[in-house]
Amino acid sequence: MSTRRLVVDPVRPDPASLRIAADVLSSGGLVAFPTETVYGLGALALDEASAAKIFAAKGRPATNPLIVHVPDLAAARELASDWTQAAETLARAFWPGPLSLVVAKAACVPDLVTAGGPTTALRVPAHPTALALLQTLGRPLAAPSANRSNAVSPTRGDHVLATLDGRIDLLLDAGPCSGGLESTVVDATEWPPRLLRPGLISPAQLSAVLGVEVARGPKSLHGPLASPGMLEKHYSPRAKLEIAPDDGRLRVAQHLAAGAKVGWITRGETSGRTDDVSPRLYQLDLPAEAAGYAAEIYAALHTLDAAGVERLVVAALPSDDDWLAARDRLTRASAE
Ligand code: TXA
Ligand code: MG
């Protein structure tokens, strides 16, 4: 299979391109498309044979359920057998947006999509191209991040093709994703709702709307995994990644002294360090505030991987909740 790439304007995607993408999906194909978080790999959610292709293309274990994307709240309710007050409140506050709500699934959602479980994760994305595609298609789209399983999620069209070229039918390329980290996943079947995966919407934002603190951490040590994407090792670049206890300068120097090619991700440092210059050092400086950092961190990991670094040192991140999602992803990326 060769992968076709259609470049579209992110805000006003051309209807002819959307029609082509919708036709590929309707006939059971795979289309990568932009969302405000990361690129998704879409297939018809309610058609088991189509959704199965996602698992094959990604090399994704059948135990990891998919997020189903819909154009609006009404379409979400149709996929739930029990639409709770928590789901209604959170959906009204944050949709369209980077929040996935786990609810009891309706019978029409295939077991394959939910990994055999009784619940399904639903989301209305805010990206104009994603919304326009869902409206043109008129059917729900299952879409995990558009990368091979366990690799770094894509925030640019090139990142998608880096691991999925030849494995998917089409890429709708609308340039960089503005958010940069995957959606917040919340279990809305229980009260108080439980945070399953931190994301661009913070626990404080959720709690403010709910009027109660969201629960955190695993529900119980028994039974199936609450959210398989929370597996310890995930979101990994090829290079061995470590989060430094400080700005990372010492670790970088040690790796350089040992002869390694080193990537160094700093946070709001001014460039022009002269003491550490080495042709084996690749420093990328990211914004010092959380939203700007989130938007660029995956692109930085992709860039440093492409440069062939062996060691990746990330300067310590602040410990407050604004940084929860970035700390979560980088900690998983650093897992052995
Ligand atoms: O921002 C996003 O969420 C992106 C874009 C494309 O929408 N999608 C994404 O999908 O990150 P994926 O497959 O990479 O991550 C889905 C996460 C996983 O952690 C999965 O375990 C969890 O959602 N999930 C899906 N269905 C679930 C369910 N029924 N119960 C608990 N967790 C679920
Ligand atoms: Mg993913």
Side-chain angles (χ1 to χ4, degrees):
M1 177 194 298
S2 73
T3 300
R4 183 171 178 194
R5 179 185 206 147
L6 288 176
V7 176
V8 294
D9 181 279
V11 182
R12 280 186 203 77
D14 133 57
S17 298
L18 293 172
R19 188 71 260 162
I20 291 169
D23 287 346
V24 169
L25 290 162
S26 294
S27 55
L30 295 177
V31 175
F33 64 96
T35 82
E36 76 279 27
T37 59
V38 301
Y39 274 78
L41 177 57
L44 294 180
L46 305 189
D47 180 65
E48 204 165 293
S50 300
K53 292 182 187 168
I54 291 177
F55 289 88
K58 280 183 63 94
R60 183 178 179 105
T63 49
N64 196 356
L66 305 174
I67 295 174
V68 178
H69 297 67
V70 287
D72 53 40
L73 221 157
R77 286 199 200 96
E78 283 175 30
L79 301 182
S81 62
D82 182 18
W83 186 254
T84 59
Q85 186 57 49
E88 180 73 14
T89 303
L90 291 171
R92 285 191 178 278
F94 298 111
W95 282 356
L99 177 68
S100 297
L101 294 172
V102 172
V103 294
K105 81 174 191 81
C108 60
V109 182
D111 288 340
L112 182 91
V113 169
T114 67
T119 60
T120 184
L122 304 175
R123 162 163 129 81
V124 178
H127 195 295
T129 301
L131 276 178
L133 178 63
L134 286 164
Q135 282 153 1
T136 304
L137 180 65
R139 298 161 79 174
L141 269 184
S145 51
N147 52 274
R148 291 279 288 170
S149 197
N150 284 341
V152 178
S153 293
T155 56
R156 311 269 192 280
D158 284 341
H159 302 164
V160 175
L161 296 180
T163 63
L164 293 179
D165 196 11
R167 295 178 161 271
I168 64 177
D169 299 285
L170 178 67
L171 162 65
L172 270 187
D173 188 344
C177 302
S178 59
L181 292 176
E182 301 85 350
S183 63
T184 304
V185 180
V186 171
D187 182 350
T189 63
E190 55 173 307
W191 188 267
R194 181 173 297 272
L195 180 67
L196 299 180
R197 178 176 72 179
L200 294 172
I201 293 175
S202 71
Q205 285 174 284
L206 297 168
S207 302
V209 162
L210 291 164
V212 59
E213 281 291 310
V214 286
R216 300 199 204 184
K219 194 171 181 175
S220 82
L221 297 174
H222 312 287
L225 277 175
S227 195
M230 300 308 280
L231 288 172
E232 208 190 337
K233 171 105 177 149
H234 211 76
Y235 311 102
S236 308
R238 274 198 302 276
K240 195 167 154 41
L241 184 149
E242 67 197 284
I243 306 173
D246 49 20
D247 73 358
R249 174 185 300 252
L250 188 63
R251 288 302 285 158
V252 166
Q254 286 168 341
H255 289 313
L256 287 174
K261 201 166 170 181
V262 184
W264 186 17
I265 299 180
T266 52
R267 209 167 51 78
E269 305 270 344
T270 43
S271 50
R273 296 164 176 277
T274 47
D275 44 343
D276 295 318
V277 171
S278 155
R280 284 183 283 105
L281 175 60
Y282 297 74
Q283 183 187 354
L284 288 180
D285 189 48
L286 266 50
E289 43 72 49
Y293 190 94
E296 290 180 30
I297 182 63
Y298 284 159
L301 298 181
H302 281 284
T303 300
L304 292 172
D305 252 354
V309 304
E310 295 142 320
R311 294 284 185 159
L312 229 158
V313 178
V314 180
L317 303 183
S319 57
D320 58 281
D321 269 359
D322 285 350
W323 291 84
L324 191 62
R327 282 201 314 275
D328 171 77
R329 303 304 190 274
L330 289 170
T331 302
R332 284 169 212 291
S334 70
E336 290 293 328

